[in-house]
Amino acid sequence: MLKQLKFAAIALLVAVGFTACSEDDPAPNLAPLRGEAGMYVINQGNSYGNVAGALDFIAQNGTKTDSVFFKANGQLIGDAPQKPIIYGSKMYVPVFASNLVWVLDANTATVIASVQTNQPEAVCASNGHVYISNNDGFVTRIDTTTYTKSTPLAVGPNPYGIAAANGKVYVACSDANNYGAGYANSAIAVIDEATFSKVKSITNEGITDPWEMVADNSGNVYVTTPYTANKVWKIDANDNVSALCDGTYIATNTQNRTSRATGKQNLLYVIHAVTDWNTYTTTISSSVYNAATGAQLSNNFLQTPANTAEYTFAPICMDVNPANGDIYVCSDNGSNGYAKPGYINVYTSNGAFSKRIATGIHPYGVIFK
């Protein structure tokens, strides 16, 4: 996690889609789409500068409320919060250095419960449970009704990314603390959801120090290796591994669509970022893939704005608004600006630059409400 703060970490980009319903179909009783009410932004802060993290909220009309967690609960969210998820009516926020996961009301950001767990890095949810990858080598499972946690399950060294698909939970065991030996114990651990037991480790000579993981609507899981090969790897439903493309930041969207949602279904968006640490200059390219077939649909998808100063940024992660397909790219204030307030570049669903939103220090993800 601290390596990620230093080198300007992983990003996600989420795809969106629609069903075959007509736009003219009456839908008075449809549940609101994620993103129609606005979005939360998690700011990690700066552990080196003793700046705690914060959770902000930006309404659909653009009104921003800073530090909604503090305002709702009268306390700071903690040190080095990781990207939350919303599952049902609740938000789950892992806070790495505070050794806990907050369970919040997703509408008000008030605390419902807190679950103590060692160095939580990432969370995913499936079938009434939230799974936590803990950097100490374990995965913990939370029951979303009682908030009780399982006995930690040993999976491998330094777990980071985690994703659920096909009745299984996949965990990127990065072996990040084993740099001197070339991350020799890197693997993807596979957990059977039904028994909450580790059933195998997937190894591949190219997957060293695996980091972020996402799943698509076809049962595929993707994992990045940004600090080694800087590639995106695909794990299919049968656990076969293949290299897909160069890439640093990824995401897909698995939320069910309705006719009111725009965008395209079952896509994988990729940003490939290369930073020259001598000049602190980051060069990026972006692409879109059909997640079902693996075919590349677009190259250099995110378009450079006319004001290039607003495009000079160091991406951290990406997300897509499921309600309208707009793309959000969180960024530090330059490749050496992780101690300064960052921002979010917003693009339309077609990749055109739209606007920039100011954030706190090290914005680490957009969570659509």
Side-chain angles (χ1 to χ4, degrees), residues 124-146:
C124 73
S126 180
N127 296 318
H129 292 98
V130 168
Y131 296 84
I132 309 162
S133 62
N134 299 297
N135 189 57
D136 63 356
F138 294 85
V139 166
T140 304
R141 184 169 73 171
I142 302 174
D143 183 289
T144 58
T145 301
T146 63

Side-chain angles (χ1 to χ4, degrees), residues 34-96:
R34 287 276 172 84
E36 289 187 329
M39 63 185 187
Y40 291 99
V41 180
I42 192 75
N43 302 293
Q44 282 198 324
N46 182 3
S47 295
Y48 302 109
N50 294 318
V51 178
L55 184 70
D56 301 335
F57 183 74
I58 302 174
Q60 188 180 36
N61 63 7
T63 301
K64 183 180 179 185
T65 304
D66 292 333
S67 302
V68 292
F69 180 91
F70 180 82
K71 291 174 180 176
N73 301 290
Q75 61 179 311
L76 297 173
I77 199 167
D79 190 7
Q82 307 299 298
K83 186 173 181 179
I85 60 170
I86 290 179
Y87 185 57
S89 62
K90 300 159 192 168
M91 187 188 321
Y92 298 82
V93 188
V95 189
F96 177 88

Side-chain angles (χ1 to χ4, degrees), residues 192-215:
D192 178 73
E193 279 195 63
T195 61
F196 191 54
S197 60
K198 179 182 172 181
V199 295
K200 70 171 77 171
S201 289
I202 300 172
T203 58
N204 181 287
E205 63 180 9
I207 301 181
T208 55
D209 194 14
W211 210 246
E212 191 70 21
M213 300 191 83
V214 297

Side-chain angles (χ1 to χ4, degrees), residues 75-245:
Q75 61 179 311
L76 297 173
I77 199 167
D79 190 7
Q82 307 299 298
K83 186 173 181 179
I85 60 170
I86 290 179
Y87 185 57
S89 62
K90 300 159 192 168
M91 187 188 321
Y92 298 82
V93 188
V95 189
F96 177 88
S98 297
N99 296 310
L100 61 80
V101 172
W102 292 114
V103 183
L104 309 181
D105 183 300
N107 290 316
T108 64
T110 54
V111 172
I112 297 172
S114 66
V115 179
Q116 298 296 313
T117 186
N118 292 331
Q119 298 178 330
E121 291 277 19
V123 288
C124 73
S126 180
N127 296 318
H129 292 98
V130 168
Y131 296 84
I132 309 162
S133 62
N134 299 297
N135 189 57
D136 63 356
F138 294 85
V139 166
T140 304
R141 184 169 73 171
I142 302 174
D143 183 289
T144 58
T145 301
T146 63
Y147 316 119
T148 56
K149 66 178 181 179
S150 67
T151 300
L153 175 67
V155 290
N158 308 119
Y160 184 71
I162 188 167
N166 313 309
K168 296 174 280 189
V169 175
Y170 296 80
V171 189
C173 299
S174 68
D175 199 23
N177 293 342
N178 195 19
Y179 172 82
Y183 314 107
N185 299 310
S186 297
I188 307 301
V190 182
I191 299 170
D192 178 73
E193 279 195 63
T195 61
F196 191 54
S197 60
K198 179 182 172 181
V199 295
K200 70 171 77 171
S201 289
I202 300 172
T203 58
N204 181 287
E205 63 180 9
I207 301 181
T208 55
D209 194 14
W211 210 246
E212 191 70 21
M213 300 191 83
V214 297
D216 67 19
N217 293 326
S218 300
N220 302 305
V221 172
Y222 303 88
V223 60
T224 62
T225 51
Y227 302 112
T228 53
N230 206 357
K231 288 187 179 294
V232 178
W233 304 83
K234 178 180 176 181
I235 305 172
D236 68 17
N238 296 315
D239 295 340
N240 298 310
V241 178
S242 59
L244 179 66
C245 62

